[in-house]
C-alpha cells in the first residue's frame, strides 16, 4: 500500500531542497503551494467561490488571479486569510488525492505544504516530516530566494505555527543547519519508509 508522507516547515526552512532530494531518489513529490496557484486559475468552481468571497477584483480582466489584490487583503486581515484558506484547501486536498491515484505504484509519495498542520491536511498523511532550521538561517534563505522586506517576512511567519508547536505533529524531523547532513537524514527516512 502506498504511503502518504507530508513535508512541512516554516518559510525558509528548506522544504523544497528536502523534497528535491526525495525526488532524486525517485519518489513522486506533490507541491501543494504550486498546485494551489494553478487551481485558483484552472478550476472554475474554485474561482467562483473566491469571487463570491472577495469580489470581481480577485481576478484580472484576462482571467488571471489577482495575487497582489488578494495578498493586500489577507495579509492585513487574519479572518480574510482564514476564509481564503478555507476556500482553497479542500480543492487542494482533492487534487492531491487525484494525483495520488496516478502514483499507486510508488512505495510512498511526498506532499510538500507550508500550511500542512494549519490546514489539517497532516491528519490525512501516514507520516509527517518537519524541516527545521535556525531563524537566522531561515532569514538568509528567504532574502536570497525572494528578496522580501523584513516586514513581509514577519507577516508570513506570523501566519504560520511556530516551529516549536509543529514538532508535536512530526514523525520525523530534518535539521537543516550547519551540523547535520540533509542527504544522510533524507536517506535514513527514505529507508525507514520503504521498510514499513
Amino acid at each position: 500500500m502506498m504511503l502518504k508522507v507530508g513535508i512541512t516547515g516554516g518559510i525558509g526552512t528548506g522544504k523544497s531542497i528536502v523534497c528535491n532530494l526525495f525526488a532524486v531518489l525517485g519518489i513522486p513529490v506533490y507541491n501543494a503551494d504550486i498546485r494551489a496557484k494553478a487551481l485558483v486559475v484552472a478550476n472554475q468552481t474554485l474561482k467562483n467561490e473566491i469571487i463570491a468571497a472577495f469580489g470581481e477584483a480577485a481576478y484580472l480582466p484576462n482571467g488571471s488571479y489577482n495575487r497582489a489584490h488578494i495578498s493586500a487583503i489577507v495579509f492585513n486581515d487574519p479572518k480574510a486569510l482564514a476564509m481564503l484558506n478555507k476556500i482553497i484547501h479542500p480543492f487542494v486536498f482533492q487534487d492531491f488525492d487525484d494525483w495520488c491515484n496516478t502514483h499507486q505504484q510508488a512505495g510512498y509519495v511526498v506532499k510538500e505544504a507550508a500550511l500542512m498542520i494549519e490546514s489539517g491536511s497532516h491528519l490525512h498523511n501516514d507520516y509527517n516530516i518537519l524541516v527545521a532550521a535556525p531563524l537566522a538561517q531561515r532569514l538568509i534563505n528567504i532574502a536570497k530566494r525572494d528578496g522580501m522586506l523584513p516586514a513581509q517576512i514577519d507577516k508570513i511567519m506570523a501566519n504560520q505555527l511556530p516551529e516549536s508547536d509543529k514538532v508535536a505533529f512530526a514523525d520525523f524531523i530534518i535539521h537543516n543547519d550547519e551540523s547535520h547532513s540533509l542527504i544522510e537524514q533524507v536517506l535514513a527516512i527514505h529507508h525507514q519508509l520503504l521498510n514499513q
Side-chain angles (χ1 to χ4, degrees), residues 137 183 187:
Q137 183 63 49
I183 293 171
L187 279 172

Side-chain angles (χ1 to χ4, degrees), residues 8-9 17 40 44 53 55-56 70 72 86 88 96 104 133 136 148 159 164 168 171 185:
T8 193
I17 294 168
V40 297
Q44 190 59 51
E56 296 289 337
I70 295 295
K86 190 175 179 184
I88 293 175
F96 176 62
Q104 290 295 327
M148 287 186 181
N159 289 320
S164 55
D171 299 293
Q185 292 177 87

Side-chain angles (χ1 to χ4, degrees), residues 97-131:
D97 286 343
D98 294 343
W99 178 86
C100 284
N101 289 334
T102 68
H103 295 283
Q104 290 295 327
Q105 79 290 353
Y108 68 95
V109 296
V110 164
K111 177 184 183 181
E112 176 187 355
L115 299 178
M116 186 168 291
I117 294 163
E118 295 86 341
S119 72
S121 69
H122 68 288
L123 299 169
H124 304 284
N125 300 330
D126 297 294
Y127 295 96
N128 291 292
I129 299 170
L130 174 66
V131 182

Side-chain angles (χ1 to χ4, degrees), residues 157-176:
M157 287 185 171
N159 289 320
Q160 297 180 345
L161 272 180
E163 195 169 271
S164 55
D165 291 354
K166 291 182 178 182
V167 169
F169 300 94
D171 299 293
F172 303 97
I173 299 175
I174 291 178
H175 298 278
N176 185 12

Side-chain angles (χ1 to χ4, degrees), residues 10-132:
I11 183 172
T13 55
K15 295 180 297 297
S16 295
I17 294 168
V18 169
C19 287
N20 288 342
L21 292 173
F22 279 102
V24 167
L25 294 170
I27 303 304
V29 176
Y30 177 95
N31 185 306
D33 298 334
I34 289 173
R35 287 300 302 150
K37 287 174 184 172
L39 290 168
V40 297
V41 176
N43 187 300
Q44 190 59 51
T45 305
L46 175 54
K47 285 176 80 167
N48 292 343
E49 289 191 24
I50 291 171
I51 290 168
F54 295 96
E56 296 289 337
Y59 288 85
L60 297 170
N62 66 4
S64 63
Y65 186 59
N66 191 346
R67 192 165 313 285
H69 173 74
I70 295 295
S71 294
I73 295 170
V74 301
F75 277 140
N76 295 311
D77 183 348
K79 287 183 181 173
L81 178 61
M83 183 193 310
L84 181 64
N85 286 334
K86 190 175 179 184
I87 292 168
I88 293 175
H89 287 151
F91 288 89
V92 176
F93 294 169
Q94 184 59 55
D95 187 66
F96 176 62
D97 286 343
D98 294 343
W99 178 86
C100 284
N101 289 334
T102 68
H103 295 283
Q104 290 295 327
Q105 79 290 353
Y108 68 95
V109 296
V110 164
K111 177 184 183 181
E112 176 187 355
L115 299 178
M116 186 168 291
I117 294 163
E118 295 86 341
S119 72
S121 69
H122 68 288
L123 299 169
H124 304 284
N125 300 330
D126 297 294
Y127 295 96
N128 291 292
I129 299 170
L130 174 66
V131 182

